[in-house]
Amino acid sequence: MASTPGPTVSADPDWEGVRLHVVSGKGGTGKTTVAAALALALAAEGGRTLLIEVEGRQGIAELFGISALPYEERKVATVSQARLGLPGNGQGELFALAIDTEQALLEYLEMFYKLGRAGKALQKVGFVDFATTIAPGVRDVLLTGKACEAARRKGPDGRRTYDAIVMDAPPTGRLTRFLNVNAEVAGLARFGPIHGQAQAVMRVLKSPETAVHFVTLLEEMPVQETVDGVADLSAAQLPVGGVLVNMVRPPILDAAAVAAVEGDHREEVALALGEAGLGGRSRKPETVRAAVEPLLDPLLAQAREHAERVELERAQRADLQQLKLPTYELPLLGEGVDLGGLYRLAGELKRQGAA
């Protein structure tokens, strides 16, 4: 299924029933931005959404213009449908968490081994860094485990603490290894708490309540990584979600239009530029032509470049369509992504049925 922008909100979102949304993508595709926009879109319907960062870059804090997030779940926004430019009275809360590997391991040791002050001593002598360096699978169990725990957590009333979790996951190149924690720790721990934790994590990750989404650009390398990532997840029997195409620029000219301009219509373009005032006040065709002639070749060079990009993007779209996955397109925001732009992207995802 391919989704395209529209004026109304889908009454039947593509990911209804999914509680844990894992967002990955090649570096430079705007993965963290899209993850945050998806979290806002999910929160706007009502209830509580948690946005989790696992790479320690504090990208969420930067996007929302707040101080660095501690290792605790903190409310970062109250989100309404009206704030996203959508009809309806829905309103929810968005929380965020930046997972610290060291703190997560100490929390784990306290939970399963009741180490207490001894755990702090291990931290001081560098055991935590040592453990997660020689056994990276343990680190990934801790990171994914925290997200899965949040997805399963219930309050005293028996209701889920969060209606949706969005994880800003590592880049596509190491995503399958990051998520396939059971295989990663199999040789390290065949029984005991770590083994049990890995199995519990895999039960959540492979359940119908989880979907792994890929962020890409309409460029060859990001699209190829997306295609490869989908294949890797499928081989590992992990649930593939959708494709979120970021920074899409609207086509202005196609190759046929440029060819026409360079051929029979070059004179008409020169006159049009003159009528637009680029030839000065003179109305004599020869004077106008002399004034705008230096502008024609640079303008046509830019038009050719634009047309070539449009053709390349068309080819990349065709490759993505071969995946037969729900696909959403987000516009390029010319002046970068500020908080207002983030809400705009969230509104686009909501309109297209991604949330």
Side-chain angles (χ1 to χ4, degrees):
M1 160 184 175
S3 299
T4 54
T8 59
V9 181
S10 171
D12 184 20
D14 289 328
W15 311 115
E16 189 172 8
V18 171
R19 186 175 300 277
L20 174 59
H21 298 261
V22 180
V23 179
S24 182
K26 179 177 169 56
T29 59
K31 170 177 66 70
T32 299
T33 297
V34 174
L38 177 60
L40 285 170
L42 290 164
E45 194 66 30
R48 293 156 58 97
T49 296
L50 176 64
L51 175 60
I52 296 178
E53 181 178 61
V54 300
E55 294 184 280
R57 294 183 294 104
Q58 289 292 338
I60 294 173
E62 183 178 348
L63 278 172
F64 284 91
I66 57 178
S67 57
L69 291 168
Y71 182 53
E72 64 181 42
E73 293 154 26
R74 175 167 293 184
K75 182 178 174 180
V76 294
T78 298
V79 192
S80 67
Q81 288 177 299
R83 181 69 178 83
L84 302 188
L86 303 171
N89 299 317
Q91 179 171 291
E93 296 176 313
L94 177 61
F95 292 77
L97 169 66
I99 301 180
D100 179 271
T101 307
E102 189 173 87
Q103 293 299 319
L105 181 55
L106 292 175
E107 182 180 78
Y108 175 85
L109 292 173
E110 170 62 20
M111 182 184 302
F112 286 104
Y113 296 101
K114 308 299 181 185
L115 290 186
R117 294 170 66 182
K120 297 292 185 182
L122 291 174
Q123 181 182 18
K124 289 182 180 179
V125 299
F127 169 79
V128 173
D129 288 339
F130 174 74
T132 55
T133 299
I134 66 168
V138 172
R139 176 183 180 276
D140 292 345
V141 167
L142 295 170
L143 296 175
T144 54
K146 188 67 177 177
C148 292
E149 181 276 326
R152 297 192 308 257
R153 191 190 311 159
K154 294 182 180 180
D157 59 358
R159 298 178 58 186
R160 299 279 188 178
T161 303
Y162 293 105
D163 299 280
I165 314 290
V166 178
M167 181 199 294
D168 178 20
T172 313
R174 74 179 197 92
L175 176 67
T176 302
R177 184 174 181 178
F178 172 76
L179 294 177
N180 200 16
V181 292
N182 202 31
E184 288 299 306
V185 302
L188 177 70
R190 299 183 182 279
F191 53 86
I194 292 178
H195 176 75
Q197 176 77 349
Q199 287 189 318
V201 166
M202 291 310 300
R203 282 195 293 271
V204 174
L205 292 179
K206 290 192 174 185
S207 77
E209 292 191 344
T210 298
V212 183
H213 309 298
F214 290 89
V215 180
T216 187
L217 306 178
L218 290 175
E219 297 174 4
E220 185 176 357
M221 286 299 293
V223 167
Q224 187 59 54
E225 282 209 14
T226 298
V227 172
D228 294 342
V230 169
D232 290 344
L233 281 188
S234 299
Q237 297 182 319
L238 289 162
V240 180
V243 177
L244 302 116
V245 185
N246 196 22
M247 305 184 207
V248 176
R249 292 169 288 191
I252 301 171
L253 297 174
D254 59 19
V258 173
V261 168
E262 291 183 305
D264 298 338
H265 301 287
R266 184 181 179 92
E267 186 71 26
E268 294 177 22
V269 172
L271 291 174
L273 291 175
E275 291 175 0
L278 296 181
R281 295 184 178 182
S282 175
R283 293 184 177 276
K284 296 181 179 180
E286 59 275 14
T287 303
V288 171
R289 180 59 184 262
V292 302
E293 182 63 35
L295 302 175
L296 281 177
D297 286 335
L299 285 173
L300 290 172
Q302 289 189 19
R304 280 193 299 272
E305 181 180 339
H306 175 83
E308 290 170 0
R309 180 178 61 78
V310 169
E311 290 302 310
L312 288 173
E313 290 182 353
R314 184 176 291 121
Q316 300 308 318
R317 276 194 179 92
D319 288 344
L320 292 175
Q321 288 170 359
Q322 294 299 314
L323 296 173
K324 301 187 184 306
L325 295 172
T327 303
Y328 314 90
E329 294 197 359
L330 296 172
L332 172 68
L333 303 181
E335 298 181 359
V337 182
D338 57 11
L339 194 55
L342 195 60
Y343 276 91
R344 179 184 169 190
L345 296 179
E348 287 294 332
L349 288 173
K350 195 74 176 169
R351 289 185 188 93
Q352 296 177 51

Short mmCIF file of all heavy atoms in Angstrom, two decimals, residues 1 24 33 50 52 66 75 78 115 117 156-157 163 176 193 201 220 236 271 276 289 324 329 349:
data_model
loop_
_atom_site.label_atom_id
_atom_site.label_comp_id
_atom_site.label_asym_id
_atom_site.label_seq_id
_atom_site.Cartn_x
_atom_site.Cartn_y
_atom_site.Cartn_z
N MET A 1 0.84 -1.20 0.00
CA MET A 1 0.00 0.00 0.00
C MET A 1 0.87 1.24 0.00
O MET A 1 1.86 1.30 0.70
CB MET A 1 -0.87 -0.02 1.26
CG MET A 1 -1.42 1.33 1.63
SD MET A 1 -2.35 1.27 3.17
CE MET A 1 -2.68 3.01 3.32
N SER A 24 14.14 3.20 12.18
CA SER A 24 15.54 3.14 11.80
C SER A 24 15.71 3.80 10.43
O SER A 24 14.74 4.20 9.79
CB SER A 24 16.03 1.69 11.76
OG SER A 24 17.41 1.62 11.44
N THR A 33 14.29 12.82 13.65
CA THR A 33 13.21 13.77 13.38
C THR A 33 11.92 13.05 13.06
O THR A 33 10.85 13.38 13.59
CB THR A 33 13.60 14.70 12.22
OG1 THR A 33 14.75 15.46 12.58
CG2 THR A 33 12.46 15.65 11.88
N LEU A 50 5.40 7.34 24.58
CA LEU A 50 6.78 7.47 25.06
C LEU A 50 7.73 7.39 23.87
O LEU A 50 7.69 6.44 23.08
CB LEU A 50 7.10 6.36 26.06
CG LEU A 50 8.55 6.31 26.57
CD1 LEU A 50 8.89 7.57 27.38
CD2 LEU A 50 8.77 5.05 27.44
N ILE A 52 11.65 7.05 22.85
CA ILE A 52 12.89 6.55 23.46
C ILE A 52 14.06 6.73 22.52
O ILE A 52 14.00 6.39 21.35
CB ILE A 52 12.74 5.05 23.83
CG1 ILE A 52 11.66 4.88 24.90
CG2 ILE A 52 14.06 4.48 24.32
CD1 ILE A 52 11.41 3.43 25.28
N ILE A 66 14.90 21.51 24.60
CA ILE A 66 14.94 21.39 26.06
C ILE A 66 16.33 20.94 26.49
O ILE A 66 17.16 20.58 25.67
CB ILE A 66 13.88 20.37 26.56
CG1 ILE A 66 14.10 19.00 25.90
CG2 ILE A 66 12.47 20.88 26.25
CD1 ILE A 66 13.15 17.93 26.38
N LYS A 75 7.93 14.21 30.69
CA LYS A 75 6.96 14.79 29.77
C LYS A 75 7.60 15.93 28.99
O LYS A 75 8.21 16.83 29.57
CB LYS A 75 5.74 15.29 30.53
CG LYS A 75 4.64 15.87 29.65
CD LYS A 75 3.45 16.30 30.50
CE LYS A 75 2.39 17.01 29.67
NZ LYS A 75 1.24 17.43 30.49
N THR A 78 2.43 18.39 25.41
CA THR A 78 1.01 18.06 25.37
C THR A 78 0.57 18.30 23.93
O THR A 78 0.76 19.40 23.40
CB THR A 78 0.19 18.93 26.33
OG1 THR A 78 0.63 18.67 27.67
CG2 THR A 78 -1.29 18.60 26.23
N LEU A 115 22.04 -5.99 43.97
CA LEU A 115 23.40 -5.61 44.32
C LEU A 115 23.47 -4.32 45.13
O LEU A 115 24.38 -4.13 45.92
CB LEU A 115 24.25 -5.48 43.06
CG LEU A 115 24.57 -6.79 42.32
CD1 LEU A 115 25.54 -6.51 41.20
CD2 LEU A 115 25.14 -7.83 43.26
N ARG A 117 24.45 -1.19 46.75
CA ARG A 117 25.68 -0.41 46.81
C ARG A 117 26.83 -1.10 46.08
O ARG A 117 27.73 -0.46 45.55
CB ARG A 117 26.05 -0.15 48.26
CG ARG A 117 25.03 0.73 48.97
CD ARG A 117 25.26 0.79 50.45
NE ARG A 117 26.52 1.46 50.77
CZ ARG A 117 26.99 1.62 52.01
NH1 ARG A 117 26.28 1.17 53.03
NH2 ARG A 117 28.14 2.23 52.22
N PRO A 156 -1.38 0.56 38.52
CA PRO A 156 -2.14 -0.13 39.57
C PRO A 156 -3.56 -0.50 39.13
O PRO A 156 -4.16 -1.45 39.66
CB PRO A 156 -2.16 0.89 40.72
CG PRO A 156 -0.99 1.77 40.46
CD PRO A 156 -0.86 1.85 38.98
N ASP A 157 -4.11 0.26 38.17
CA ASP A 157 -5.47 -0.01 37.72
C ASP A 157 -5.52 -1.09 36.64
O ASP A 157 -6.59 -1.42 36.12
CB ASP A 157 -6.12 1.27 37.18
CG ASP A 157 -5.34 1.89 36.02
OD1 ASP A 157 -4.27 1.34 35.66
OD2 ASP A 157 -5.79 2.93 35.49
N ASP A 163 0.18 4.15 25.74
CA ASP A 163 -0.60 3.63 24.62
C ASP A 163 0.30 3.29 23.44
O ASP A 163 -0.06 2.44 22.62
CB ASP A 163 -1.65 4.66 24.20
CG ASP A 163 -2.62 4.95 25.34
OD1 ASP A 163 -3.53 4.15 25.56
OD2 ASP A 163 -2.42 5.97 26.04
N THR A 176 19.29 -5.07 12.49
CA THR A 176 18.87 -6.45 12.71
C THR A 176 19.64 -7.08 13.86
O THR A 176 19.06 -7.77 14.72
CB THR A 176 19.05 -7.28 11.43
OG1 THR A 176 18.30 -6.68 10.37
CG2 THR A 176 18.57 -8.71 11.62
N PRO A 193 19.12 -15.11 34.25
CA PRO A 193 18.36 -13.87 34.02
C PRO A 193 18.61 -13.21 32.67
O PRO A 193 17.68 -12.72 32.04
CB PRO A 193 18.82 -12.96 35.17
CG PRO A 193 19.28 -13.89 36.23
CD PRO A 193 19.88 -15.07 35.50
N VAL A 201 12.34 -10.16 25.65
CA VAL A 201 12.45 -9.07 24.69
C VAL A 201 12.03 -9.55 23.30
O VAL A 201 11.26 -8.88 22.59
CB VAL A 201 13.90 -8.51 24.65
CG1 VAL A 201 14.11 -7.62 23.44
CG2 VAL A 201 14.20 -7.74 25.92
N GLU A 220 19.87 6.93 -4.05
CA GLU A 220 20.23 5.53 -4.29
C GLU A 220 20.69 4.80 -3.04
O GLU A 220 20.21 3.70 -2.73
CB GLU A 220 21.33 5.46 -5.36
CG GLU A 220 21.68 4.05 -5.75
CD GLU A 220 22.69 3.99 -6.88
OE1 GLU A 220 23.08 5.06 -7.38
OE2 GLU A 220 23.10 2.87 -7.25
N ALA A 236 15.17 -12.58 9.59
CA ALA A 236 15.23 -12.79 11.04
C ALA A 236 13.84 -12.94 11.66
O ALA A 236 13.73 -13.06 12.88
CB ALA A 236 15.98 -11.64 11.70
N LEU A 271 11.86 36.16 -23.96
CA LEU A 271 10.86 37.22 -23.95
C LEU A 271 10.09 37.24 -22.63
O LEU A 271 9.77 38.31 -22.09
CB LEU A 271 9.90 37.03 -25.12
CG LEU A 271 10.49 37.28 -26.51
CD1 LEU A 271 9.49 36.93 -27.60
CD2 LEU A 271 10.94 38.74 -26.64
N ALA A 276 9.04 39.94 -17.46
CA ALA A 276 9.08 39.91 -16.00
C ALA A 276 9.94 41.04 -15.44
O ALA A 276 10.04 41.20 -14.22
CB ALA A 276 9.62 38.57 -15.52
N ARG A 289 16.49 40.91 -25.39
CA ARG A 289 17.23 39.66 -25.61
C ARG A 289 18.68 39.80 -25.16
O ARG A 289 19.25 38.90 -24.52
CB ARG A 289 17.16 39.28 -27.09
CG ARG A 289 17.91 38.00 -27.43
CD ARG A 289 17.34 36.83 -26.64
NE ARG A 289 18.09 35.61 -26.87
CZ ARG A 289 17.70 34.67 -27.73
NH1 ARG A 289 16.59 34.82 -28.43
NH2 ARG A 289 18.42 33.57 -27.87
N LYS A 324 6.33 -3.35 -1.58
CA LYS A 324 4.91 -3.56 -1.28
C LYS A 324 4.61 -3.32 0.20
O LYS A 324 3.93 -4.11 0.87
CB LYS A 324 4.47 -4.97 -1.70
CG LYS A 324 4.66 -5.25 -3.19
CD LYS A 324 4.07 -6.57 -3.61
CE LYS A 324 4.36 -6.88 -5.07
NZ LYS A 324 3.94 -5.81 -5.99
N GLU A 329 5.18 9.97 2.55
CA GLU A 329 6.14 10.97 2.10
C GLU A 329 6.02 12.24 2.93
O GLU A 329 4.91 12.77 3.11
CB GLU A 329 5.94 11.27 0.61
CG GLU A 329 6.25 10.07 -0.28
CD GLU A 329 6.46 10.46 -1.74
OE1 GLU A 329 6.33 11.66 -2.06
OE2 GLU A 329 6.75 9.55 -2.55
N LEU A 349 1.98 12.89 8.77
CA LEU A 349 1.89 11.46 9.06
C LEU A 349 0.48 11.08 9.49
O LEU A 349 -0.03 10.02 9.10
CB LEU A 349 2.89 11.08 10.16
CG LEU A 349 4.37 11.07 9.75
CD1 LEU A 349 5.26 10.84 10.96
CD2 LEU A 349 4.61 9.98 8.70
#
